[in-house]
Amino acid sequence: MTPRRRPEAGLAKAGACVMRPRPPGNGAEVCRTPRGGGRRAEGAMSGLGRLFGKGKKEKGPTPEEAIQKLKETEKILIKKQEFLEQKIQQELQTAKKHGTKNKRAALQALRRKKRLEQQLAQTDGTLSTLEFQREAIENATTNTEVLRTMELAARGMKKAYQDMDIDKVDELMADITEQQEVAQQISDAISRPVGFGDDVDEDELLEELEELEQEELAQELLNVSDKEEEPPVKLPSIPSTHLPAGPEAPKADEDEEALKQLAEWVS
């Protein structure tokens, strides 16, 4: 007769928890895992986790990697668009070629053309989505870089002004203003004449200058009156008689001499 197997043995082999009653006096039960069953259970659970994706998470791609991957996919889709457009033109030419001669072949070509147009429309939509996603990542990357730069600039400005105090700045500007006033006073003192001219009355100098001007004006008036009293200069009168005419004898003698020579030559 085969001995009856206890149910706990099968549970222990599977690594399950077996409830055993505590000794009399305590009604609570205790869960005891057979030796080696816990490790087997943990291994089984970890295998299930890896199977259903609950294992260790992989590190995500950087924005630059994602942008590069999107660009590569966009190139593939653009090539697919060009291929589909060529196929559509080919099917359209096939349909035109058969026309009414072979309606069956023409209809098949048009059906293939419709399917290709649907694929082209889907590809266009997918490409637009990828372009939008890439632009969004690029904008996010740019904004992140701008924020980093602004944060760096803010830290640099804070470090530049950390040793400055507004009260000290006001005191410094007040000192500079005071020194400029002192420098102006020193320049005025240096440029003021010293040792002569202090005992001269300005009014007396003006009166003397006015007397000199009056004397010069009187002298000019005297010179003008003297010029007016000088007698006028008499010019010679124009003669009324006619001048004698110049001699014409030499011209007549020349004519007579020419006539004599002509007569001698003729004779």
Side-chain angles (χ1 to χ4, degrees):
M1 183 176 181
T2 304
R4 187 174 182 181
R5 187 177 180 182
R6 293 193 304 173
E8 292 86 349
L11 294 173
K13 186 175 294 185
C17 179
V18 180
M19 304 301 294
R20 296 182 181 277
R22 293 182 64 85
N26 192 350
E29 294 182 347
V30 179
C31 177
R32 295 180 180 180
T33 303
R35 184 178 301 175
R39 288 191 295 270
R40 287 193 295 271
E42 291 175 359
M45 292 300 293
S46 63
L48 292 175
R50 287 193 298 270
L51 180 62
F52 291 101
K54 295 182 180 180
K56 186 178 180 180
K57 294 183 179 180
E58 296 181 359
K59 185 179 179 181
T62 61
E64 291 77 10
E65 294 175 351
I67 292 172
Q68 184 64 28
K69 190 65 177 177
L70 287 171
K71 288 182 178 180
E72 293 175 357
T73 307
E74 289 175 8
K75 291 180 180 179
I76 295 173
L77 291 178
I78 291 173
K79 291 181 179 179
K80 185 177 180 180
Q81 282 180 332
E82 295 175 354
F83 173 76
L84 291 174
E85 289 174 354
Q86 292 178 358
K87 293 292 292 183
I88 289 171
Q89 292 297 325
Q90 290 177 1
E91 296 298 337
L92 182 60
Q93 293 298 329
T94 302
K96 290 180 179 180
K97 179 181 178 180
H98 292 288
T100 57
K101 297 178 181 179
N102 191 349
K103 291 184 178 181
R104 182 170 174 276
L107 291 174
Q108 289 179 353
L110 291 175
R111 289 192 188 96
R112 290 193 296 269
K113 173 179 169 294
K114 290 293 183 182
R115 289 197 300 269
L116 292 172
E117 288 176 348
Q118 291 177 358
Q119 293 181 15
L120 182 60
Q122 293 175 355
T123 305
D124 291 340
T126 304
L127 184 60
S128 299
T129 303
L130 292 178
E131 290 176 351
F132 175 78
Q133 191 174 10
R134 176 176 53 80
E135 292 173 358
I137 296 175
E138 289 175 348
N139 292 333
T141 304
T142 304
N143 294 334
T144 303
E145 190 65 26
V146 170
L147 289 175
R148 288 176 182 172
T149 305
M150 293 174 66
E151 183 181 2
L152 182 63
R155 289 202 301 267
M157 186 179 294
K158 184 177 180 181
K159 186 176 181 181
Y161 287 112
Q162 66 181 359
D163 296 331
M164 293 186 183
D165 187 4
I166 187 63
D167 297 332
K168 293 182 180 179
V169 174
D170 291 337
E171 292 177 1
L172 178 61
M173 296 305 296
D175 293 340
I176 293 174
T177 304
E178 184 178 357
Q179 293 300 322
Q180 288 179 349
E181 293 176 355
V182 172
Q184 186 64 36
Q185 293 176 2
I186 293 173
S187 298
D188 295 340
I190 292 173
S191 61
R192 189 181 304 117
V194 178
F196 61 91
D198 293 340
D199 55 348
V200 178
D201 189 1
E202 190 74 18
D203 294 334
E204 292 180 0
L205 295 176
L206 292 174
E207 290 178 0
E208 185 177 356
L209 178 62
E210 187 176 357
E211 290 176 0
L212 293 174
E213 291 177 351
Q214 292 295 332
E215 290 178 0
E216 185 177 358
L217 181 59
Q219 186 66 32
E220 291 178 356
L221 291 175
L222 289 174
N223 294 334
V224 171
S225 62
D226 292 341
K227 290 180 180 179
E228 291 178 352
E229 292 178 356
E230 291 180 355
V233 179
K234 292 183 178 181
L235 297 175
S237 59
I238 301 173
S240 59
T241 60
H242 295 284
L243 294 175
E248 296 181 356
K251 185 175 181 181
D253 295 338
E254 292 177 0
D255 294 337
E256 291 177 358
E257 184 70 21
L259 291 173
K260 288 179 179 181
Q261 293 177 358
L262 181 62
E264 293 176 355
W265 180 77
V266 171
S267 60

